[in-house]
Amino acid sequence: MTAILAIANQKGGVGKTTTAISLAAGLAALEKRVLLVDCDPQGNATRGLGHTARAPHLYHVLVGESPIEAAILPSGFPFLDLLPADRDLVGVEVEFVGLERWEEVLGARLAAIAERYDFIRIDCPPSLGHLTILALVAATGVLIPLQCEYFALEGVSELLSTVRRVTSALNPELELAGILLTMYDDRMKLTRDVEREVREHFPAKVFEAVVPRNVRLAEAPSHGLSILHYDIKSRGAEAYLAVARELLRRSR
Ligand code: ATP
Ligand code: MG
């Protein structure tokens, strides 16, 4: 079965898109067939891989204006395809209100092409609106990037209660695939304190690998490249390769 991972956290700027792109690229580098789905109207995953969304993209697929095959692009990197998005995608937040069984639409669309891929990664927007729910219902797992700062855990409990609602009502398959500590700076006491708290609170769910704050990770998207293509020797690239390997180990 294709592992479909939603990368979600309603808090903004915690590293969701960086994680989605880097993990997709990391798995593709290991010659796994990967689809990266940009499920955020900000379109950062699309632009971060050097693309501009043109119709048809994810919006047209979700509202039934285009078959999914027509919207998927080769990313330009081996083994990696992209289902892009742009700001039109925000229309879903309005148009799906009151629609029957809207929650299942992304899952149904992905089911048509899932067997072409070993892994599908979905980059979620910073909200718990329709787009994140669509991703959670389509997914087999959710990965939560978490920045080590005050109140980080409170945001995670809200997200986890949404995950539980989705699991009990709509998608019993959905698992917590893991919590990933991002923008990690071990010189800061706050980072170490939050890390200890998160690891105690979610034993076995926090990735051993942590993603350091690394300027190469911040630079890569402006070049339209994943960190692996931008600077394979950087600490950011090493960290995300370690996370990709950990995920593969766990999914066996
Ligand atoms: P949003 O909620 O807006 O979608 P996000 O959770 O997807 O944000 P990113 O876009 O991945 O977060 O990261 C936010 C910013 O921080 C970006 O400019 C990104 O390049 C940078 N960034 C992400 N991870 C790191 C890191 N480990 N080290 C340094 N900069 C990082
Ligand atoms: Mg993002």
PDB file of all heavy atoms in Angstrom, residues 9 11-19 40 42 44 123-126 182-184 211-215 217-219 221 240, ligand 1:
ATOM      1  N   ASN A   9       0.543  21.010  10.794  1.00  0.00           N
ATOM      2  CA  ASN A   9       0.594  21.715  12.076  1.00  0.00           C
ATOM      3  C   ASN A   9      -0.079  23.047  11.785  1.00  0.00           C
ATOM      4  O   ASN A   9       0.317  23.738  10.846  1.00  0.00           O
ATOM      5  CB  ASN A   9       2.048  21.924  12.539  1.00  0.00           C
ATOM      6  CG  ASN A   9       2.113  22.476  13.951  1.00  0.00           C
ATOM      7  OD1 ASN A   9       1.181  23.138  14.415  1.00  0.00           O
ATOM      8  ND2 ASN A   9       3.211  22.231  14.639  1.00  0.00           N
ATOM      9  N   LYS A  11       0.062  25.656  13.274  1.00  0.00           N
ATOM     10  CA  LYS A  11       0.917  26.801  13.537  1.00  0.00           C
ATOM     11  C   LYS A  11       1.730  27.122  12.268  1.00  0.00           C
ATOM     12  O   LYS A  11       2.202  26.207  11.598  1.00  0.00           O
ATOM     13  CB  LYS A  11       1.853  26.460  14.691  1.00  0.00           C
ATOM     14  CG  LYS A  11       2.591  27.649  15.202  1.00  0.00           C
ATOM     15  CD  LYS A  11       3.076  27.422  16.608  1.00  0.00           C
ATOM     16  CE  LYS A  11       3.734  28.652  17.191  1.00  0.00           C
ATOM     17  NZ  LYS A  11       4.193  29.673  16.293  1.00  0.00           N
ATOM     18  N   GLY A  12       1.860  28.403  11.985  1.00  0.00           N
ATOM     19  CA  GLY A  12       2.569  28.808  10.764  1.00  0.00           C
ATOM     20  C   GLY A  12       4.081  28.791  10.951  1.00  0.00           C
ATOM     21  O   GLY A  12       4.587  28.981  12.063  1.00  0.00           O
ATOM     22  N   GLY A  13       4.790  28.538   9.869  1.00  0.00           N
ATOM     23  CA  GLY A  13       6.242  28.708   9.850  1.00  0.00           C
ATOM     24  C   GLY A  13       7.030  27.745  10.704  1.00  0.00           C
ATOM     25  O   GLY A  13       8.121  28.082  11.172  1.00  0.00           O
ATOM     26  N   VAL A  14       6.517  26.531  10.914  1.00  0.00           N
ATOM     27  CA  VAL A  14       7.242  25.575  11.764  1.00  0.00           C
ATOM     28  C   VAL A  14       8.099  24.595  10.955  1.00  0.00           C
ATOM     29  O   VAL A  14       8.754  23.732  11.525  1.00  0.00           O
ATOM     30  CB  VAL A  14       6.279  24.763  12.668  1.00  0.00           C
ATOM     31  CG1 VAL A  14       5.571  25.666  13.662  1.00  0.00           C
ATOM     32  CG2 VAL A  14       5.272  23.978  11.839  1.00  0.00           C
ATOM     33  N   GLY A  15       8.043  24.723   9.624  1.00  0.00           N
ATOM     34  CA  GLY A  15       8.859  23.827   8.793  1.00  0.00           C
ATOM     35  C   GLY A  15       8.073  22.744   8.068  1.00  0.00           C
ATOM     36  O   GLY A  15       8.667  21.758   7.607  1.00  0.00           O
ATOM     37  N   LYS A  16       6.767  22.912   7.922  1.00  0.00           N
ATOM     38  CA  LYS A  16       5.965  21.902   7.201  1.00  0.00           C
ATOM     39  C   LYS A  16       6.436  21.747   5.752  1.00  0.00           C
ATOM     40  O   LYS A  16       6.709  20.639   5.291  1.00  0.00           O
ATOM     41  CB  LYS A  16       4.470  22.307   7.168  1.00  0.00           C
ATOM     42  CG  LYS A  16       3.773  22.275   8.504  1.00  0.00           C
ATOM     43  CD  LYS A  16       2.322  22.688   8.373  1.00  0.00           C
ATOM     44  CE  LYS A  16       2.109  24.172   8.113  1.00  0.00           C
ATOM     45  NZ  LYS A  16       2.568  25.057   9.180  1.00  0.00           N
ATOM     46  N   THR A  17       6.496  22.890   5.052  1.00  0.00           N
ATOM     47  CA  THR A  17       6.821  22.818   3.621  1.00  0.00           C
ATOM     48  C   THR A  17       8.256  22.340   3.416  1.00  0.00           C
ATOM     49  O   THR A  17       8.523  21.498   2.544  1.00  0.00           O
ATOM     50  CB  THR A  17       6.602  24.200   2.972  1.00  0.00           C
ATOM     51  OG1 THR A  17       5.251  24.575   3.222  1.00  0.00           O
ATOM     52  CG2 THR A  17       6.868  24.163   1.486  1.00  0.00           C
ATOM     53  N   THR A  18       9.165  22.851   4.238  1.00  0.00           N
ATOM     54  CA  THR A  18      10.566  22.416   4.146  1.00  0.00           C
ATOM     55  C   THR A  18      10.650  20.909   4.362  1.00  0.00           C
ATOM     56  O   THR A  18      11.381  20.200   3.657  1.00  0.00           O
ATOM     57  CB  THR A  18      11.402  23.161   5.217  1.00  0.00           C
ATOM     58  OG1 THR A  18      11.197  24.567   5.034  1.00  0.00           O
ATOM     59  CG2 THR A  18      12.866  22.829   5.106  1.00  0.00           C
ATOM     60  N   THR A  19       9.897  20.412   5.336  1.00  0.00           N
ATOM     61  CA  THR A  19       9.900  18.976   5.622  1.00  0.00           C
ATOM     62  C   THR A  19       9.277  18.193   4.469  1.00  0.00           C
ATOM     63  O   THR A  19       9.809  17.153   4.053  1.00  0.00           O
ATOM     64  CB  THR A  19       9.128  18.708   6.936  1.00  0.00           C
ATOM     65  OG1 THR A  19       9.787  19.419   7.991  1.00  0.00           O
ATOM     66  CG2 THR A  19       9.073  17.231   7.269  1.00  0.00           C
ATOM     67  N   ASP A  40      -1.643  23.622   0.007  1.00  0.00           N
ATOM     68  CA  ASP A  40      -1.647  24.925   0.682  1.00  0.00           C
ATOM     69  C   ASP A  40      -1.780  26.021  -0.379  1.00  0.00           C
ATOM     70  O   ASP A  40      -0.965  26.063  -1.310  1.00  0.00           O
ATOM     71  CB  ASP A  40      -0.318  25.073   1.448  1.00  0.00           C
ATOM     72  CG  ASP A  40      -0.227  26.390   2.206  1.00  0.00           C
ATOM     73  OD1 ASP A  40      -1.121  27.253   2.041  1.00  0.00           O
ATOM     74  OD2 ASP A  40       0.761  26.561   2.952  1.00  0.00           O
ATOM     75  N   GLN A  42      -0.870  28.872  -0.329  1.00  0.00           N
ATOM     76  CA  GLN A  42       0.350  29.675  -0.443  1.00  0.00           C
ATOM     77  C   GLN A  42       1.250  29.173  -1.571  1.00  0.00           C
ATOM     78  O   GLN A  42       2.108  29.910  -2.068  1.00  0.00           O
ATOM     79  CB  GLN A  42       1.157  29.642   0.862  1.00  0.00           C
ATOM     80  CG  GLN A  42       0.447  30.262   2.049  1.00  0.00           C
ATOM     81  CD  GLN A  42       1.329  30.242   3.307  1.00  0.00           C
ATOM     82  OE1 GLN A  42       2.020  31.198   3.597  1.00  0.00           O
ATOM     83  NE2 GLN A  42       1.309  29.142   4.024  1.00  0.00           N
ATOM     84  N   ASN A  44       3.742  27.191  -1.568  1.00  0.00           N
ATOM     85  CA  ASN A  44       5.186  27.210  -1.275  1.00  0.00           C
ATOM     86  C   ASN A  44       5.908  25.941  -1.714  1.00  0.00           C
ATOM     87  O   ASN A  44       7.068  26.004  -2.129  1.00  0.00           O
ATOM     88  CB  ASN A  44       5.422  27.438   0.229  1.00  0.00           C
ATOM     89  CG  ASN A  44       5.052  28.837   0.653  1.00  0.00           C
ATOM     90  OD1 ASN A  44       4.911  29.731  -0.185  1.00  0.00           O
ATOM     91  ND2 ASN A  44       4.856  29.038   1.947  1.00  0.00           N
ATOM     92  N   ASP A 123       1.687  18.497   1.698  1.00  0.00           N
ATOM     93  CA  ASP A 123       2.043  19.690   2.471  1.00  0.00           C
ATOM     94  C   ASP A 123       0.761  20.443   2.833  1.00  0.00           C
ATOM     95  O   ASP A 123       0.040  20.906   1.957  1.00  0.00           O
ATOM     96  CB  ASP A 123       2.963  20.589   1.628  1.00  0.00           C
ATOM     97  CG  ASP A 123       3.424  21.815   2.396  1.00  0.00           C
ATOM     98  OD1 ASP A 123       3.544  21.730   3.636  1.00  0.00           O
ATOM     99  OD2 ASP A 123       3.677  22.862   1.753  1.00  0.00           O
ATOM    100  N   CYS A 124       0.471  20.550   4.133  1.00  0.00           N
ATOM    101  CA  CYS A 124      -0.781  21.176   4.598  1.00  0.00           C
ATOM    102  C   CYS A 124      -0.579  22.657   4.906  1.00  0.00           C
ATOM    103  O   CYS A 124       0.527  23.099   5.212  1.00  0.00           O
ATOM    104  CB  CYS A 124      -1.267  20.480   5.868  1.00  0.00           C
ATOM    105  SG  CYS A 124      -1.786  18.787   5.571  1.00  0.00           S
ATOM    106  N   PRO A 125      -1.679  23.424   4.855  1.00  0.00           N
ATOM    107  CA  PRO A 125      -1.604  24.847   5.208  1.00  0.00           C
ATOM    108  C   PRO A 125      -1.595  25.033   6.726  1.00  0.00           C
ATOM    109  O   PRO A 125      -1.921  24.098   7.463  1.00  0.00           O
ATOM    110  CB  PRO A 125      -2.890  25.415   4.613  1.00  0.00           C
ATOM    111  CG  PRO A 125      -3.845  24.268   4.645  1.00  0.00           C
ATOM    112  CD  PRO A 125      -3.032  23.023   4.456  1.00  0.00           C
ATOM    113  N   PRO A 126      -1.257  26.241   7.193  1.00  0.00           N
ATOM    114  CA  PRO A 126      -1.247  26.479   8.646  1.00  0.00           C
ATOM    115  C   PRO A 126      -2.649  26.770   9.191  1.00  0.00           C
ATOM    116  O   PRO A 126      -2.918  27.858   9.671  1.00  0.00           O
ATOM    117  CB  PRO A 126      -0.335  27.706   8.782  1.00  0.00           C
ATOM    118  CG  PRO A 126      -0.435  28.408   7.472  1.00  0.00           C
ATOM    119  CD  PRO A 126      -0.693  27.370   6.430  1.00  0.00           C
ATOM    120  N   THR A 182      12.051  20.695  14.608  1.00  0.00           N
ATOM    121  CA  THR A 182      12.647  21.487  13.526  1.00  0.00           C
ATOM    122  C   THR A 182      13.295  22.751  14.086  1.00  0.00           C
ATOM    123  O   THR A 182      12.976  23.179  15.198  1.00  0.00           O
ATOM    124  CB  THR A 182      11.586  21.907  12.494  1.00  0.00           C
ATOM    125  OG1 THR A 182      10.600  22.690  13.167  1.00  0.00           O
ATOM    126  CG2 THR A 182      10.932  20.715  11.844  1.00  0.00           C
ATOM    127  N   MET A 183      14.152  23.354  13.282  1.00  0.00           N
ATOM    128  CA  MET A 183      14.846  24.597  13.650  1.00  0.00           C
ATOM    129  C   MET A 183      15.470  24.461  15.035  1.00  0.00           C
ATOM    130  O   MET A 183      15.396  25.339  15.881  1.00  0.00           O
ATOM    131  CB  MET A 183      13.893  25.787  13.572  1.00  0.00           C
ATOM    132  CG  MET A 183      13.338  25.945  12.160  1.00  0.00           C
ATOM    133  SD  MET A 183      12.353  27.397  11.955  1.00  0.00           S
ATOM    134  CE  MET A 183      11.053  26.740  10.908  1.00  0.00           C
ATOM    135  N   TYR A 184      16.061  23.298  15.218  1.00  0.00           N
ATOM    136  CA  TYR A 184      16.606  22.888  16.506  1.00  0.00           C
ATOM    137  C   TYR A 184      17.944  23.592  16.752  1.00  0.00           C
ATOM    138  O   TYR A 184      18.803  23.603  15.878  1.00  0.00           O
ATOM    139  CB  TYR A 184      16.798  21.370  16.460  1.00  0.00           C
ATOM    140  CG  TYR A 184      17.203  20.739  17.748  1.00  0.00           C
ATOM    141  CD1 TYR A 184      16.249  20.237  18.622  1.00  0.00           C
ATOM    142  CD2 TYR A 184      18.545  20.604  18.091  1.00  0.00           C
ATOM    143  CE1 TYR A 184      16.614  19.632  19.806  1.00  0.00           C
ATOM    144  CE2 TYR A 184      18.920  20.006  19.278  1.00  0.00           C
ATOM    145  CZ  TYR A 184      17.942  19.519  20.125  1.00  0.00           C
ATOM    146  OH  TYR A 184      18.306  18.925  21.293  1.00  0.00           O
ATOM    147  N   VAL A 211      16.049  18.362  13.153  1.00  0.00           N
ATOM    148  CA  VAL A 211      16.478  19.219  12.041  1.00  0.00           C
ATOM    149  C   VAL A 211      17.031  20.523  12.611  1.00  0.00           C
ATOM    150  O   VAL A 211      16.297  21.274  13.250  1.00  0.00           O
ATOM    151  CB  VAL A 211      15.309  19.520  11.094  1.00  0.00           C
ATOM    152  CG1 VAL A 211      15.782  20.416   9.950  1.00  0.00           C
ATOM    153  CG2 VAL A 211      14.706  18.230  10.562  1.00  0.00           C
ATOM    154  N   PRO A 212      18.329  20.773  12.431  1.00  0.00           N
ATOM    155  CA  PRO A 212      18.917  21.978  13.013  1.00  0.00           C
ATOM    156  C   PRO A 212      18.472  23.222  12.243  1.00  0.00           C
ATOM    157  O   PRO A 212      18.045  23.123  11.090  1.00  0.00           O
ATOM    158  CB  PRO A 212      20.417  21.769  12.817  1.00  0.00           C
ATOM    159  CG  PRO A 212      20.527  20.898  11.610  1.00  0.00           C
ATOM    160  CD  PRO A 212      19.314  20.010  11.642  1.00  0.00           C
ATOM    161  N   ARG A 213      18.556  24.353  12.895  1.00  0.00           N
ATOM    162  CA  ARG A 213      18.424  25.608  12.158  1.00  0.00           C
ATOM    163  C   ARG A 213      19.622  25.677  11.211  1.00  0.00           C
ATOM    164  O   ARG A 213      20.762  25.514  11.632  1.00  0.00           O
ATOM    165  CB  ARG A 213      18.444  26.774  13.157  1.00  0.00           C
ATOM    166  CG  ARG A 213      17.907  28.046  12.617  1.00  0.00           C
ATOM    167  CD  ARG A 213      17.784  29.073  13.707  1.00  0.00           C
ATOM    168  NE  ARG A 213      16.519  28.980  14.434  1.00  0.00           N
ATOM    169  CZ  ARG A 213      15.352  29.384  13.938  1.00  0.00           C
ATOM    170  NH1 ARG A 213      15.274  29.888  12.731  1.00  0.00           N
ATOM    171  NH2 ARG A 213      14.247  29.274  14.650  1.00  0.00           N
ATOM    172  N   ASN A 214      19.364  25.836   9.938  1.00  0.00           N
ATOM    173  CA  ASN A 214      20.446  25.761   8.952  1.00  0.00           C
ATOM    174  C   ASN A 214      20.119  26.709   7.802  1.00  0.00           C
ATOM    175  O   ASN A 214      19.086  26.580   7.158  1.00  0.00           O
ATOM    176  CB  ASN A 214      20.565  24.304   8.464  1.00  0.00           C
ATOM    177  CG  ASN A 214      21.602  24.124   7.362  1.00  0.00           C
ATOM    178  OD1 ASN A 214      21.294  23.690   6.263  1.00  0.00           O
ATOM    179  ND2 ASN A 214      22.841  24.457   7.655  1.00  0.00           N
ATOM    180  N   VAL A 215      21.014  27.643   7.568  1.00  0.00           N
ATOM    181  CA  VAL A 215      20.714  28.702   6.606  1.00  0.00           C
ATOM    182  C   VAL A 215      20.550  28.138   5.187  1.00  0.00           C
ATOM    183  O   VAL A 215      19.767  28.649   4.388  1.00  0.00           O
ATOM    184  CB  VAL A 215      21.794  29.810   6.669  1.00  0.00           C
ATOM    185  CG1 VAL A 215      23.127  29.322   6.146  1.00  0.00           C
ATOM    186  CG2 VAL A 215      21.348  31.049   5.924  1.00  0.00           C
ATOM    187  N   LEU A 217      18.955  25.501   4.393  1.00  0.00           N
ATOM    188  CA  LEU A 217      17.544  25.106   4.267  1.00  0.00           C
ATOM    189  C   LEU A 217      16.679  26.311   3.931  1.00  0.00           C
ATOM    190  O   LEU A 217      15.714  26.211   3.179  1.00  0.00           O
ATOM    191  CB  LEU A 217      17.043  24.477   5.572  1.00  0.00           C
ATOM    192  CG  LEU A 217      17.380  23.015   5.818  1.00  0.00           C
ATOM    193  CD1 LEU A 217      17.007  22.623   7.238  1.00  0.00           C
ATOM    194  CD2 LEU A 217      16.650  22.121   4.820  1.00  0.00           C
ATOM    195  N   ALA A 218      17.015  27.461   4.502  1.00  0.00           N
ATOM    196  CA  ALA A 218      16.234  28.671   4.239  1.00  0.00           C
ATOM    197  C   ALA A 218      16.503  29.201   2.828  1.00  0.00           C
ATOM    198  O   ALA A 218      15.620  29.799   2.207  1.00  0.00           O
ATOM    199  CB  ALA A 218      16.567  29.724   5.285  1.00  0.00           C
ATOM    200  N   GLU A 219      17.704  28.957   2.319  1.00  0.00           N
ATOM    201  CA  GLU A 219      18.061  29.480   0.983  1.00  0.00           C
ATOM    202  C   GLU A 219      17.498  28.627  -0.153  1.00  0.00           C
ATOM    203  O   GLU A 219      17.164  29.158  -1.220  1.00  0.00           O
ATOM    204  CB  GLU A 219      19.598  29.498   0.829  1.00  0.00           C
ATOM    205  CG  GLU A 219      20.303  30.514   1.693  1.00  0.00           C
ATOM    206  CD  GLU A 219      21.816  30.267   1.769  1.00  0.00           C
ATOM    207  OE1 GLU A 219      22.322  29.286   1.165  1.00  0.00           O
ATOM    208  OE2 GLU A 219      22.481  31.049   2.459  1.00  0.00           O
ATOM    209  N   PRO A 221      14.715  27.099  -1.166  1.00  0.00           N
ATOM    210  CA  PRO A 221      13.497  27.332  -1.961  1.00  0.00           C
ATOM    211  C   PRO A 221      13.625  28.482  -2.959  1.00  0.00           C
ATOM    212  O   PRO A 221      13.034  28.423  -4.038  1.00  0.00           O
ATOM    213  CB  PRO A 221      12.416  27.649  -0.913  1.00  0.00           C
ATOM    214  CG  PRO A 221      13.034  27.543   0.417  1.00  0.00           C
ATOM    215  CD  PRO A 221      14.466  27.189   0.273  1.00  0.00           C
ATOM    216  N   TYR A 240      17.601  15.730   7.082  1.00  0.00           N
ATOM    217  CA  TYR A 240      16.397  15.215   6.420  1.00  0.00           C
ATOM    218  C   TYR A 240      16.632  13.820   5.830  1.00  0.00           C
ATOM    219  O   TYR A 240      15.700  13.014   5.767  1.00  0.00           O
ATOM    220  CB  TYR A 240      15.882  16.204   5.381  1.00  0.00           C
ATOM    221  CG  TYR A 240      14.990  17.258   6.023  1.00  0.00           C
ATOM    222  CD1 TYR A 240      15.376  18.586   6.104  1.00  0.00           C
ATOM    223  CD2 TYR A 240      13.758  16.888   6.576  1.00  0.00           C
ATOM    224  CE1 TYR A 240      14.551  19.542   6.714  1.00  0.00           C
ATOM    225  CE2 TYR A 240      12.939  17.830   7.178  1.00  0.00           C
ATOM    226  CZ  TYR A 240      13.331  19.148   7.245  1.00  0.00           C
ATOM    227  OH  TYR A 240      12.516  20.063   7.849  1.00  0.00           O
TER     228      TYR A 240
HETATM  229  P1  ATP B   1       3.526  27.859   6.683  1.00  0.00           P
HETATM  230  O1  ATP B   1       2.798  27.562   7.935  1.00  0.00           O
HETATM  231  O2  ATP B   1       3.510  29.297   6.301  1.00  0.00           O
HETATM  232  O3  ATP B   1       3.119  26.948   5.553  1.00  0.00           O
HETATM  233  P2  ATP B   1       5.718  26.087   7.133  1.00  0.00           P
HETATM  234  O4  ATP B   1       5.310  25.438   8.401  1.00  0.00           O
HETATM  235  O5  ATP B   1       5.488  25.361   5.868  1.00  0.00           O
HETATM  236  O6  ATP B   1       5.073  27.545   7.003  1.00  0.00           O
HETATM  237  P3  ATP B   1       8.370  26.514   6.162  1.00  0.00           P
HETATM  238  O7  ATP B   1       7.881  27.335   5.013  1.00  0.00           O
HETATM  239  O8  ATP B   1       8.900  25.171   5.864  1.00  0.00           O
HETATM  240  O9  ATP B   1       7.260  26.441   7.282  1.00  0.00           O
HETATM  241  O10 ATP B   1       9.496  27.301   6.975  1.00  0.00           O
HETATM  242  C1  ATP B   1       9.298  28.645   7.376  1.00  0.00           C
HETATM  243  C2  ATP B   1      10.562  29.451   7.028  1.00  0.00           C
HETATM  244  O11 ATP B   1      11.659  28.968   7.762  1.00  0.00           O
HETATM  245  C3  ATP B   1      10.950  29.342   5.569  1.00  0.00           C
HETATM  246  O12 ATP B   1      11.509  30.568   5.162  1.00  0.00           O
HETATM  247  C4  ATP B   1      11.989  28.240   5.565  1.00  0.00           C
HETATM  248  O13 ATP B   1      12.899  28.375   4.488  1.00  0.00           O
HETATM  249  C5  ATP B   1      12.669  28.449   6.901  1.00  0.00           C
HETATM  250  N1  ATP B   1      13.130  27.193   7.502  1.00  0.00           N
HETATM  251  C6  ATP B   1      12.445  26.029   7.635  1.00  0.00           C
HETATM  252  N2  ATP B   1      13.150  25.103   8.284  1.00  0.00           N
HETATM  253  C7  ATP B   1      14.349  25.693   8.575  1.00  0.00           C
HETATM  254  C8  ATP B   1      15.522  25.266   9.257  1.00  0.00           C
HETATM  255  N3  ATP B   1      15.626  24.025   9.783  1.00  0.00           N
HETATM  256  N4  ATP B   1      16.551  26.133   9.377  1.00  0.00           N
HETATM  257  C9  ATP B   1      16.456  27.389   8.875  1.00  0.00           C
HETATM  258  N5  ATP B   1      15.375  27.863   8.236  1.00  0.00           N
HETATM  259  C10 ATP B   1      14.330  27.034   8.086  1.00  0.00           C
END
